[in-house]
């Protein structure tokens, strides 16, 4: 019967939409709710790894490789996740607070990628090599980062002061999504506990003075390096 066929199609569409929205929720929770805060903790507090004989041992690239891979993955995967929501709703809808925050977070994520591309050249005695014994000729040491040019200083300020608000906005968007999706209270409690764990990690690692500035983690504390001239 035609009516039964139409009803079956409606039910199928509803099921498809639920699958798309559930996939969207999982992707956004995994990217903005988990990967971004973990990446920030690693970036801020693990430029020098536990057990590393700092400052004799420097230029540990674990944090940078992790930050780049996770941040890039988040931007592209989260954009795909946003696309699933658009697909499920048959278009962009900014009617809900969650949708407004989510849209802003995706835009801010791409803005972070654009900002990262403005960081300038690296420079330094060994350039981009991980081997600190591979010293380059002196005339090849110049770089925006090594010499802390105005471009690099502006980049660092903009990157940091837009990056943290972007990460916080992502956490808020996920919380609004959990509430808007109508998940049971254990999910809300679990997410709240996860955010609290991230905050406690920040507090503990700050108290333990685990943060080492990027410049000193790469080139050490020697005063002859241009970026160390302001050190006491």
């Amino acid at each position: 019967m035609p009516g039964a066929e139409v009803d079956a199609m409606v039910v199928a569409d509803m099921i498809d939409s639920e699958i798309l929205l559930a996939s969207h929720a999982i992707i956004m929770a995994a990217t903005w709710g988990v990967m971004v805060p973990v990446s920030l903790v690693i970036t801020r507090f693990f430029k020098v790894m536990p057990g590393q004989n700092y400052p004799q041992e420097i230029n540990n690239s674990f944090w940078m490789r992790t930050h780049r891979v996770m941040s890039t993955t988040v931007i592209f995967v989260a954009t795909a996740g946003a696309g699933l929501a658009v697909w499920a709703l048959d278009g962009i809808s900014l009617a809900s607070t969650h949708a407004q925050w989510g849209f802003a977070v995706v835009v801010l994520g791409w803005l972070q990628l654009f900002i990262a591309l403005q960081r300038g050249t690296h420079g330094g005695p060994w350039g981009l090599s991980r081997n600190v014994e591979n010293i380059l000729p002196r005339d090849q040491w110049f770089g925006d980062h090594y010499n802390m040019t105005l471009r690099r200083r502006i980049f660092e300020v903009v990157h940091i002061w837009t990056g943290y608000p972007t990460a916080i906005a992502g956490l808020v968007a996920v919380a609004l999504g959990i509430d808007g999706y109508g998940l049971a209270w254990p999910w809300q409690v679990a997410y709240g506990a996860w955010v609290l764990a991230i905050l406690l990690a920040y507090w503990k690692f700050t108290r333990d003075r685990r943060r080492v500035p990027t410049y000193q983690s790469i080139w050490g504390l020697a005063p002859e390096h241009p970026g160390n001239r302001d050190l006491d």
Side-chain angles (χ1 to χ4, degrees):
M1 297 177 61
E5 292 179 0
V6 172
D7 290 341
M9 292 175 61
V10 170
V11 171
D13 287 343
M14 291 177 61
I15 293 174
D16 288 343
S17 294
E18 287 298 315
I19 293 174
L20 290 172
L21 289 175
S23 300
H24 162 80
I26 292 171
I27 288 173
M28 292 314 208
T31 52
W32 291 104
V34 177
M35 292 179 68
V36 168
V38 168
S39 175
L40 289 181
V41 169
I42 292 173
T43 300
R44 186 169 181 83
F45 299 110
F46 288 88
K47 292 184 176 76
V48 172
M49 296 296 290
Q52 180 179 334
N53 186 26
Y54 179 82
Q56 284 70 35
E57 295 179 17
I58 53 178
N59 197 33
N60 189 317
S61 61
F62 167 76
W63 71 273
M64 176 52 72
R65 288 184 282 116
T66 302
H67 182 58
R68 285 179 178 173
V69 170
M70 294 184 76
S71 298
T72 304
T73 300
V74 164
I75 293 169
F76 283 95
V77 175
T79 300
L84 293 178
V86 173
W87 185 4
L89 300 174
D90 292 325
I92 297 176
S93 173
L94 300 180
S96 69
T97 304
H98 167 66
Q100 294 164 8
W101 278 80
F103 180 81
V105 166
V106 171
V107 172
L108 288 171
W110 282 100
L111 176 62
Q112 282 300 303
L113 181 59
F114 172 77
I115 292 172
L117 296 175
Q118 313 309 310
R119 62 185 179 275
T121 56
H122 189 65
W126 47 84
L128 292 171
S129 172
R130 298 178 191 174
N131 183 7
V132 299
E133 303 297 328
N134 185 26
I135 304 299
L136 300 171
R138 190 89 185 187
D139 61 356
Q140 296 181 30
W141 288 18
F142 182 86
D144 290 297
H145 194 179
Y146 181 68
N147 291 85
M148 289 305 292
T149 62
L150 179 61
R151 173 176 180 167
R152 179 70 193 193
R153 292 177 185 275
I154 293 174
F155 159 75
E156 291 192 359
V157 170
V158 174
H159 185 48
I160 292 172
W161 286 99
T162 59
Y164 277 99
T166 299
I168 293 170
L171 291 173
V172 172
V174 172
L176 291 171
I178 291 173
D179 181 64
Y181 200 68
L183 294 179
W185 66 266
W187 290 98
Q188 300 178 20
V189 172
Y191 183 68
W194 166 247
V195 174
L196 179 60
I198 292 296
L199 294 175
L200 288 174
Y202 259 75
W203 171 79
K204 182 182 186 304
F205 293 143
T206 300
R207 186 195 63 178
D208 295 345
R209 297 184 178 181
R210 280 210 49 82
R211 180 180 176 273
V212 175
T214 301
Y215 194 96
Q216 283 75 47
S217 74
I218 297 173
W219 290 294
L221 302 171
E224 63 263 25
H225 298 306
N228 289 338
R229 289 172 183 164
D230 295 333
L231 294 178
D232 294 331

